[in-house]
Amino acid sequence: MSVSRISTRAALAGGIALSSVVLLSGTAFAHVSVQPQGEAAKGGYATVNIKVPNERDNASTVKLEVSFPLDHPLASVMPQPVPGWKAEVTKSKLDKPLELHGRKINEAVSKVTWTADGSKIGPGQFQQFPLSLGQLPEDVDQLVLKAVQTYDNKEVVRWIEEQKEGAEEPQNPAPVLKLSAASDDHHGGGAAPSATASATASTGEKDGHDDKAGDHEEKAAAESSASSSSSDTTARVLGVVGILIGVAGVAFGVLAGRRRSA
């Protein structure tokens, strides 16, 4: 076997092995997770996304169940509607009533279930399920939201293993919502209405100037694009001419060599 063939086969084998490692590592880290939109401060409210990737090549996700800890209960858990999915909120009675805004609450949300209703999470896809949470507890640094993912081939994956300090990440880790230090307004990452209105008004006052500036920028960009296009065309023409001259030079050299030999 020639050296070139051996090298080619070795390169091919190496490429396949590398691709396998990349694919496997990508699958290993594609876990169900919870991601806050902005700040999730202790004692406040927050909007979070439950991110659900599909880890199977031959099945689609059709159901997701997310459980909430009742030892640190949340009085309010509201799912945002997701097209093609039906959300169901389950509440459970508390052993110890929860006080919120001066009133006692005897039950709290223990689980939210999303079931496919005309949609699925197919292979190579993911879906986000937004939730509004509050009031977040003040006596813990994180909330563990255990999840159960069901596929249309009846396979069930339980993302319920808690990460232990100093240990390697478990095979099916539970989603964890990290809580930041308590904020003064106790409204998480939400901006105050007055501040939002002020920002909107300020933006409105500048619209006229911004439009004019935008027109100038668009004109400059168009001129720059035209100039760049012209330069590219010129460069391509010169490149083709250079190639033709080079070919002619080689042909001339060959003919000259033949004449000398003759």
Side-chain angles (χ1 to χ4, degrees), residues 52-180:
V52 185
N54 188 68
E55 292 192 316
R56 301 295 179 262
D57 295 329
N58 58 351
S60 298
T61 298
V62 293
K63 186 178 180 181
L64 176 73
E65 301 167 78
V66 176
S67 297
F68 296 84
L70 291 179
D71 53 345
H72 297 287
L74 300 173
S76 174
V77 177
M78 295 187 295
Q80 179 178 318
V82 177
W85 294 83
K86 180 182 178 182
E88 180 182 357
V89 178
T90 302
K91 292 185 178 182
S92 299
K93 289 197 173 184
L94 300 174
D95 296 332
K96 182 180 178 181
L98 180 67
E99 266 199 49
L100 183 65
H101 301 309
R103 63 188 181 94
K104 289 186 177 181
I105 297 175
N106 296 314
E107 62 178 14
V109 173
S110 57
K111 183 169 67 174
V112 176
T113 303
W114 288 270
T115 306
D117 186 22
S119 182
K120 295 180 180 182
I121 308 174
Q125 299 177 343
F126 77 93
Q127 177 67 55
Q128 294 191 111
F129 298 95
L131 288 171
S132 175
L133 307 179
Q135 185 172 353
L136 298 173
E138 300 183 44
D139 56 346
V140 291
D141 295 325
Q142 64 182 31
L143 290 177
V144 179
L145 310 180
K146 296 183 179 182
V148 178
Q149 183 178 11
T150 303
Y151 290 87
D152 57 7
N153 63 356
K154 308 302 181 184
E155 181 185 1
V156 176
V157 181
R158 303 180 185 278
W159 303 98
I160 60 174
E161 300 177 51
E162 296 188 36
Q163 175 72 52
K164 294 183 180 180
E165 188 175 354
E168 292 184 1
E169 183 183 57
Q171 184 176 358
N172 294 316
V176 175
L177 176 62
K178 302 285 186 180
L179 304 182
S180 59

Side-chain angles (χ1 to χ4, degrees), residues 227-243:
S227 175
S228 176
S229 177
S230 177
S231 298
D232 289 344
T233 302
T234 302
R236 289 175 183 174
V237 171
L238 291 176
V240 172
V241 172
I243 291 172

